[in-house]
Amino acid sequence: MHGEALRDGSTLGRFPSITLGVVDGTGVEATEPEESEESESACRQWLRKICPCCHPKPDDDSKDALVTGAVGIIVNAGNTRPHCHFPTDLLLRVRSIDLMKSAQGVNRTKHHTDLYHTDAFIIRRGQNFQMGISLSRPFDPKNDKLHLILKTGPLPTVAKGTQVDVPLVESLVGGRWEAAAVKQEGNRIQLSVNSPATTAIGRYQLTVETTCVGGHAVSTHDPANDVYILFNPWCEEDTVFMDSEEERREYVLNDVGRIYYGTQDQIGQRTWNYGQFDDGILAICLFILEKSGTPPSGWGDPVNVVRVISAMINAVDDNGVLVGNWSGNYSAGTSPTVWSGSIEILREYHKNNAAPVKYGQCWAFAGVFTTVLRCLGIPARTVTNYSSAHDTDVSLTTDVYLDENLDPINHLNTDSVWNFHVWNDCWMARPDLPLGNGGWQAVDATPQETSQGTFRCGPTALTAVRNGYVYLKHDTPFVFAEVNSDKIYWQKNADGTFNQIYSEKKTVGHSISTKAVGSDERSDITHLYKHAEGTEQERIAVETACRYGSKAAAYSSSAAEDVSLKVSMDGKGPKMGQDVDLSITMVNSSAEHRTIVLHSQVSVMYYTGVKKERKKEPVLVNATIVLEWTLEYKDYKDQLVDQAALMLTLSGRVNETQRILATQFSFRLRTPDLSIKPLGKVVVGERMAVEISFTNPLPQVLKAVIFHLEGLGLVTARKINYGDIGSLASMSVTEHFVPSLPGARKLMASLDCKQLTQVHGSFGCDLCEGGGCFYLKSSSMCLK
């Protein structure tokens, strides 16, 4: 409007002036004497207030500003202030935003996000960060206003915390969203920003809104300025806070780990590449949360987040990441034993727009789960439970049903004991539970039983499991049964009812294992899940739990106390391709002879069923007798799947007392490892070679062998189609690649074929930027 004027006899050739609450060049706010509102019109007052340089206040002697020619052309006759061209010069606009997001910069190093292989701005909640804003003119704190706007999710709202308006304050208080100016140079202003430790994690769109007397403006959203906010184990106010730096480095920052398998007497291990910092993995983890359909407003609670992820890692009812398959037929996908890390699985899921990846079993579900949790900032570890029970009827016991002849009744035996099962622990406070139940929480992504209608499990407080507090959420009864249920044997009567005939108290939950902090050693954490077997505390926990089960009266009897039964094996156990030799020891502690008709059956271990053979032998037991039990290679070679695990079930009746004996013994057939060794020096950016060698342990040809190779910073996942390997033959293959990242690295390889599974190997190295230094951890040698 400054090119127009209202003209009358008293104001001919004049424009009314206004006062603007801005700071002049000296930093002093301009002031004017009061004036009667009647002396000028409302329009002129508005013009004077908006643009005092063009519309100065009239006075008695103001005859120097004359209009010549067209209206709105001003000739300055004493006032040398230039024309301001309102409103462009007065409106405060954002020219650019600098999030200082360099991986080596102060933000990402202090937030422990510098390991993520991305240029994105990644921070942790509850912690301060710095940012810079370049403006169209210098910021005037007295008259200008500025605030940040952060939005996440499809429908951001302030009420639900998915839209955050961050005010500019004079000084930071903490524990809330706030920003304060810490530095100003010309048109650039640097802010220090706080976020609360309850902020919902996720990807936020960032814009800046400015307001001044000239109006307000909002910056254009630039995806490059999106803010990724994670959980913060370094922040005491965050519910995932972990006070040990050594443990934070292991359970949040370590991107390679160990997963254990086998049996409690034959513990096997394999290296797993979690790769939570690899390029694109964080975006995929958030993609998984988005595909869950849960509102982002709930992503601030780690209990809710791990529960959602537990459901989304398996594909049963929500098109999650992995399809479970325990059939032995994996022709439509990848065999579960082939995977050696999470990256390939997650990328395939994302690339195919959330089409579930085929196939996985418990260790693959758990490995991917650890990756996602650590990536989002929740401390996590992969855990293996040996002799792991699967309770299907919430009885809190593992029930075995036998007919009148002591043969198993298959359709009733839905409970099972797996030779091993892998799940996860995650670390968090539990304000939703009674005091003392924070810390490690068990979570499981393998689809076994539904929880509130969805295949998921946890988080379950380990303290609650240990003490039998099965009435606490989530899924505590199921986890308790996995690690501490009694095995109850039931025999069918002629009238169709069942009697409890025998029980075993110490068969479930052994050698619960995870990788140790700071090393590749195995750490036994059984004591965190249960009191020592047979102690009064352990029995009290079982009785406490069983009060809430569907078979509250099913407790152990004293049957067959005078005769005991035990199965054992020599050394590390049988090797694949060889006969299996076990020893059955029976001890008669009475003073009389005992005769037992012993039933034995060997089962190939599946998660969903067994294949069986059976023998019956009458045995006279005077004191102690040891029976040798043999399973020949020809009897099992065409029956094994995946883990090469078998279970021997023994049951019998003492003729003289009619009491029952029963036990089950799981074992696995050991497979050889792949040997991996470097050829020559290993330097970042230089071509290197490794040799993979292997000897076929079977007296049969391995058909269509495929090797899988992968190592973060060494080589992206690749397949090597090798072909056949002859009976008992040795082979080797050489692969070349160029390492891309310095530091401690691990190369992993696995073998895939129908005749032999669970064959893998790895080696570790410390890669230098140059100089040809290679550190082979297995030999503790530095090769130059």
Side-chain angles (χ1 to χ4, degrees):
M1 299 176 68
H2 75 271
E4 300 177 3
L6 297 177
R7 309 176 70 175
D8 58 32
S10 62
T11 60
L12 184 63
R14 304 177 187 273
F15 286 92
S17 62
I18 63 169
T19 301
L20 184 64
V22 297
V23 180
D24 62 17
T26 64
V28 179
E29 182 174 343
T31 59
E32 296 179 292
E34 293 183 356
E35 176 185 19
S36 171
E37 294 184 1
E38 296 178 356
S39 63
E40 54 185 340
S41 68
C43 181
R44 290 176 180 175
Q45 291 181 35
W46 183 87
L47 286 169
R48 180 168 59 82
K49 185 176 291 186
I50 290 297
C51 194
C53 58
C54 294
H55 308 284
K57 179 180 178 182
D59 52 44
D60 293 338
D61 300 321
S62 56
K63 297 180 180 180
D64 51 346
L66 303 177
V67 175
T68 61
V71 174
I73 305 300
I74 300 175
V75 177
N76 287 323
N79 186 348
T80 60
R81 288 179 296 178
H83 196 287
C84 71
H85 302 293
F86 173 80
T88 304
D89 289 346
L90 288 183
L91 192 61
L92 185 64
R93 298 182 183 275
V94 174
R95 298 302 187 201
S96 64
I97 298 173
D98 178 13
L99 291 176
M100 307 178 191
K101 58 185 178 179
S102 166
Q104 292 75 39
V106 62
N107 281 327
R108 288 184 57 181
T109 54
K110 286 189 175 181
H111 284 251
H112 303 92
T113 60
D114 50 305
L115 295 177
Y116 289 86
H117 301 164
T118 176
D119 294 329
F121 185 55
I122 308 170
I123 59 172
R124 300 189 187 274
R125 66 184 192 175
Q127 191 171 336
N128 178 272
F129 66 90
Q130 306 293 309
M131 64 177 291
I133 303 175
S134 294
L135 301 166
S136 58
R137 61 170 174 77
F139 180 78
D140 175 11
K142 291 186 177 180
N143 299 290
D144 297 333
K145 293 183 180 180
L146 177 152
H147 69 275
L148 312 178
I149 303 174
L150 291 163
K151 296 180 180 181
T152 189
L155 296 171
T157 57
V158 174
K160 294 184 177 181
T162 51
Q163 175 174 325
V164 180
D165 293 342
V166 186
L168 195 62
V169 297
E170 290 188 3
S171 60
L172 299 176
V173 176
R176 64 181 186 179
W177 277 110
E178 56 186 356
V182 294
K183 187 178 182 181
Q184 185 170 354
E185 292 180 347
N187 291 6
R188 177 184 168 87
I189 184 171
Q190 183 170 325
L191 304 181
S192 182
V193 186
N194 279 343
S195 65
T198 55
T199 301
I201 66 164
R203 178 176 181 169
Y204 286 78
Q205 295 181 358
L206 171 65
T207 54
V208 180
E209 182 171 346
T210 57
T211 304
C212 65
V213 291
H216 76 276
V218 180
S219 66
T220 302
H221 167 243
D222 181 356
N225 289 329
D226 284 353
V227 180
Y228 291 80
I229 301 179
L230 309 180
F231 291 106
N232 194 350
W234 284 265
C235 174
E236 292 187 16
E237 288 74 35
D238 199 316
T239 47
V240 303
F241 171 69
M242 178 175 269
D243 61 1
S244 167
E245 178 61 22
E246 188 180 19
E247 291 185 343
R248 287 191 294 249
R249 290 189 177 278
E250 178 66 48
Y251 299 129
V252 181
L253 301 181
N254 193 357
D255 57 3
V256 178
R258 291 288 180 91
I259 297 179
Y260 299 92
Y261 62 94
T263 70
Q264 65 190 75
D265 299 311
Q266 301 167 283
I267 294 177
Q269 62 185 22
R270 65 179 302 166
T271 302
W272 190 268
N273 180 17
Y274 296 124
Q276 68 268 28
F277 305 121
D278 207 50
D279 186 26
I281 297 301
L282 174 56
I284 295 173
C285 293
L286 295 177
F287 173 78
I288 292 171
L289 280 177
E290 292 167 2
K291 286 299 178 181
S292 72
T294 59
S297 58
W299 297 358
D301 181 2
V303 173
N304 181 53
V305 169
V306 300
R307 198 151 169 77
V308 170
I309 298 170
S310 171
M312 285 300 298
I313 297 300
N314 70 76
V316 175
D317 43 20
D318 47 21
N319 287 323
V321 176
L322 267 173
V323 178
N325 187 343
W326 294 267
S327 69
N329 179 10
Y330 311 115
S331 58
T334 299
S335 169
T337 59
V338 168
W339 304 115
S340 56
S342 307
I343 296 175
E344 190 176 2
I345 296 171
L346 289 170
R347 284 182 175 164
E348 184 175 337
Y349 180 71
H350 184 257
K351 180 182 68 175
N352 295 325
N353 194 27
V357 179
K358 300 175 181 179
Y359 293 103
Q361 291 181 8
C362 64
W363 63 90
F365 289 116
V368 174
F369 204 170
T370 297
T371 297
V372 177
L373 292 176
R374 289 184 183 182
C375 186
L376 297 179
I378 300 175
R381 61 191 183 189
T382 309
V383 174
T384 301
N385 177 39
Y386 291 95
S387 297
S388 186
H390 180 178
D391 178 25
T392 60
D393 58 0
V394 202
S395 66
L396 301 177
T397 58
T398 302
D399 301 301
V400 180
Y401 294 94
L402 308 173
D403 63 18
E404 296 89 340
N405 298 318
L406 297 179
D407 289 330
I409 305 175
N410 292 332
H411 70 279
L412 294 180
N413 287 329
T414 55
D415 287 356
S416 59
V417 178
W418 301 0
N419 54 325
F420 77 96
H421 180 49
V422 188
W423 62 69
N424 302 83
D425 284 346
C426 61
W427 180 273
M428 66 182 69
R430 289 299 298 271
D432 57 322
L433 298 181
L435 192 65
N437 287 286
W440 288 115
Q441 314 286 315
V443 288
D444 195 347
T446 300
Q448 299 176 84
E449 300 295 327
T450 59
S451 173
Q452 295 177 320
T454 302
F455 280 95
R456 57 187 169 187
C457 181
T460 303
L462 265 58
T463 302
V465 174
R466 191 170 189 255
N467 295 307
Y469 300 154
V470 297
Y471 46 83
L472 297 178
K473 60 182 183 182
H474 294 279
D475 309 308
T476 309
F478 186 81
V479 178
F480 176 87
E482 287 183 302
V483 301
N484 206 15
S485 57
D486 287 349
K487 182 181 284 188
I488 309 294
Y489 293 82
W490 304 84
Q491 186 176 27
K492 187 176 183 180
N493 299 318
D495 61 359
T497 61
F498 286 86
N499 287 336
Q500 178 185 342
I501 59 173
Y502 189 67
S503 68
E504 293 179 295
K505 301 184 181 70
K506 302 179 181 179
T507 61
V508 168
H510 295 286
S511 301
I512 303 177
S513 303
T514 191
K515 177 186 173 298
V517 174
S519 77
D520 284 338
E521 299 300 315
R522 183 181 70 88
S523 178
D524 192 309
I525 58 171
T526 308
H527 63 284
L528 298 181
Y529 277 87
K530 59 196 294 187
H531 297 285
E533 287 284 7
T535 63
E536 183 178 3
Q537 288 175 302
E538 187 264 343
R539 285 291 95 192
I540 290 174
V542 172
E543 293 177 12
T544 300
C546 286
R547 291 195 191 106
Y548 298 90
S550 60
K551 294 185 176 69
Y555 285 97
S556 305
S557 68
S558 59
E561 288 182 351
D562 58 352
V563 180
S564 62
L565 185 64
K566 183 180 180 180
V567 181
S568 60
M569 64 184 177
D570 292 332
K572 295 182 179 179
K575 293 182 179 180
M576 176 68 76
Q578 299 179 356
D579 294 345
V580 176
D581 294 314
L582 302 177
S583 297
I584 302 171
T585 302
M586 289 177 285
V587 178
N588 179 9
S589 58
S590 72
E592 301 176 358
H593 294 306
R594 293 288 183 257
T595 305
I596 302 171
V597 177
L598 190 64
H599 301 243
S600 68
Q601 70 177 27
V602 63
S603 307
V604 177
M605 291 293 290
Y606 287 79
Y607 288 100
T608 55
V610 295
K611 296 183 179 180
K612 298 174 272 188
E613 294 182 359
R614 184 166 59 86
K615 301 177 182 178
K616 294 182 181 179
E617 303 174 3
V619 182
L620 177 64
V621 183
N622 293 321
T624 299
I625 184 171
V626 179
L627 301 176
E628 297 301 325
W629 185 93
T630 299
L631 177 66
E632 296 181 354
Y633 171 69
K634 65 181 178 63
D635 294 326
Y636 71 75
K637 68 175 183 177
D638 296 324
Q639 304 295 327
L640 294 178
V641 295
D642 302 332
Q643 298 298 318
L646 301 103
M647 181 175 66
L648 175 65
T649 300
L650 298 173
S651 60
R653 186 187 300 276
V654 180
N655 291 337
E656 291 78 6
T657 63
Q658 292 300 296
R659 291 181 174 176
I660 302 297
L661 288 174
T663 191
Q664 291 179 320
F665 181 76
S666 297
F667 59 95
R668 71 180 179 94
L669 300 165
R670 292 186 292 126
T671 54
D673 292 331
L674 292 178
S675 174
I676 309 174
K677 66 177 182 180
L679 303 176
K681 66 179 183 179
V682 180
V683 180
V684 171
E686 296 186 13
R687 193 168 186 261
M688 66 164 287
V690 294
E691 181 184 68
I692 304 171
S693 55
F694 170 73
T695 298
N696 178 8
L698 303 182
Q700 66 181 99
V701 176
L702 302 182
K703 298 285 188 179
V705 172
I706 299 175
F707 291 97
H708 292 247
L709 195 67
E710 131 175 42
L712 183 63
L714 294 171
V715 59
T716 55
R718 67 171 64 166
K719 294 181 180 180
I720 307 167
N721 293 301
Y722 183 81
D724 298 347
I725 301 177
S727 167
L728 304 177
S730 297
M731 57 70 62
S732 66
V733 63
T734 301
E735 279 294 303
H736 295 84
F737 51 86
V738 179
S740 59
L741 294 174
R745 302 294 164 196
K746 285 193 176 180
L747 182 69
M748 290 154 281
S750 62
L751 178 150
D752 181 27
C753 71
K754 291 184 177 180
Q755 297 79 23
L756 189 63
T757 62
Q758 202 60 270
V759 176
H760 45 78
S762 67
F763 80 87
C765 62
D766 281 336
L767 282 170
C768 297
E769 295 281 3
C773 177
F774 175 79
Y775 174 64
L776 186 60
K777 294 186 176 180
S778 60
S779 62
S780 298
M781 295 175 60
C782 186
L783 306 177
K784 293 272 189 171

